[in-house]
Amino acid sequence: EPEVTQTPSHQVTQMGQEVILRCVPISNHLYFYWYRQILGQKVEFLVSFYNNEISEKSEIFDDQFSVERPDGSNFTLKIRSTKLEDSAMYFCASKWGGPSNQPQHFGDGTRLSIL
Amino acid sequence: AQKITQTQPGMFVQEKEAVTLDCTYDTSDQSYGLFWYKQPSSGEMIFLIYQGSYDEQNATEGRYSLNFQKARKSANLVISASQLGDSAMYFCAMTHGTYKYIFGTGTRLKVLA
């Protein structure tokens, strides 16, 4: 069964450094999402992406964050200058189409640790 | 604004028994979807079951069923014949169309041998 792939599984970065989290969504999916989960807390929406542009973003997704789909397969989340509070599990998800009954398929996540 | 509430931070169930995990939601939309995901200790998010707001029948998927009460705005997950491998965090989520998921705070289920 096709799956969403995220790399790396764990990233350790110094505060202030840039980090790029990578995702390969399921190949025929059209809608892409990033979520984060701070340890022990609920999963929070960051951004959704469709037709090569951001369709919605949360308050968390400030100017330090950006997303792109450079080559039609990878979907990346960049954090320009990381802060301690960016430490979390980051999930990429993708969905085939618009109907509500289509579930989002999640990757296994990237655990980001900021030192 | 949409909101999901899961009031049970933790639940215990004896192996082979059934358990109900509660989820209530708030939305002004007429068309929406409700989803349940399982998150084992390894961290991945596994889709379990879906219920659409216009679905007249409660959704079922193997040992999982959804007790959907639209007037009460509740979408409780029922796991029948619990297994040790069901021990995990369970999240209820809501979405409207292609939009983001709104997640609840989750319920940690522990199945006892």
Side-chain angles (χ1 to χ4, degrees), chain A residues 31 33 35 37 42-43 45 56 91 95 98 100-101 103-104 106 108, chain B residues 35 37 39 43-45 47 50 91 97-101 103-105:
Chain A
Y31 298 85
Y33 308 84
Y35 294 85
Q37 184 182 29
K42 70 176 178 180
V43 181
F45 168 75
E56 187 177 359
F91 289 103
K95 173 173 165 165
S100 292
N101 65 351
Q104 294 177 24
F106 284 76
D108 287 349
Chain B
F35 298 79
Y37 282 81
Q39 187 179 42
E44 69 269 30
M45 297 285 284
F47 166 68
Y50 161 83
F91 288 100
T98 60
Y99 300 164
K100 65 195 179 209
Y101 278 158
F103 282 92
T105 49

Side-chain angles (χ1 to χ4, degrees), chain A residues 6-114:
Chain A
Q6 288 187 245
T7 55
S9 55
H10 191 191
Q11 174 82 46
V12 182
T13 302
Q14 290 287 336
M15 186 172 61
Q17 295 295 305
E18 175 182 286
V19 66
I20 297 176
L21 309 183
R22 301 182 193 279
C23 170
V24 179
I26 295 172
S27 61
N28 64 343
H29 283 191
L30 301 175
Y31 298 85
F32 313 107
Y33 308 84
W34 282 101
Y35 294 85
R36 82 170 185 192
Q37 184 182 29
I38 294 171
L39 187 64
Q41 298 187 23
K42 70 176 178 180
V43 181
E44 299 173 291
F45 168 75
L46 291 178
V47 65
S48 58
F49 193 86
Y50 169 70
N51 201 24
N52 281 319
E53 60 183 23
I54 291 173
S55 46
E56 187 177 359
K57 59 184 180 180
S58 72
E59 293 175 352
I60 303 167
F61 194 88
D62 62 21
D63 292 344
Q64 294 300 312
F65 290 85
S66 62
V67 289
E68 63 175 5
R69 196 153 187 258
D71 56 10
S73 64
N74 292 284
F75 179 49
T76 62
L77 174 69
K78 183 194 292 187
I79 309 174
R80 275 187 253 296
S81 178
T82 49
K83 307 182 188 73
L84 293 175
E85 54 265 35
D86 293 328
S87 294
M89 180 77 101
Y90 287 79
F91 289 103
C92 172
S94 69
K95 173 173 165 165
W96 164 69
S100 292
N101 65 351
Q102 296 297 312
Q104 294 177 24
H105 296 261
F106 284 76
D108 287 349
T110 293
R111 184 168 299 284
L112 179 62
S113 300
I114 306 300

Side-chain angles (χ1 to χ4, degrees), chain B residues 43-105:
Chain B
E44 69 269 30
M45 297 285 284
I46 302 167
F47 166 68
L48 296 178
I49 196 167
Y50 161 83
Q51 180 81 43
S53 58
Y54 292 121
D55 294 343
E56 294 184 353
Q57 305 266 8
N58 285 339
T60 61
E61 196 70 50
R63 293 186 300 111
Y64 304 108
S65 61
L66 215 151
N67 183 0
F68 180 48
Q69 298 187 48
K70 193 170 179 177
R72 292 187 172 187
K73 294 190 173 179
S74 73
N76 299 337
L77 177 70
V78 180
I79 306 174
S80 62
S82 297
Q83 301 171 356
L84 295 176
D86 294 335
S87 293
M89 194 75 160
Y90 288 81
F91 288 100
C92 181
M94 178 169 61
T95 188
H96 170 69
T98 60
Y99 300 164
K100 65 195 179 209
Y101 278 158
I102 304 294
F103 282 92
T105 49

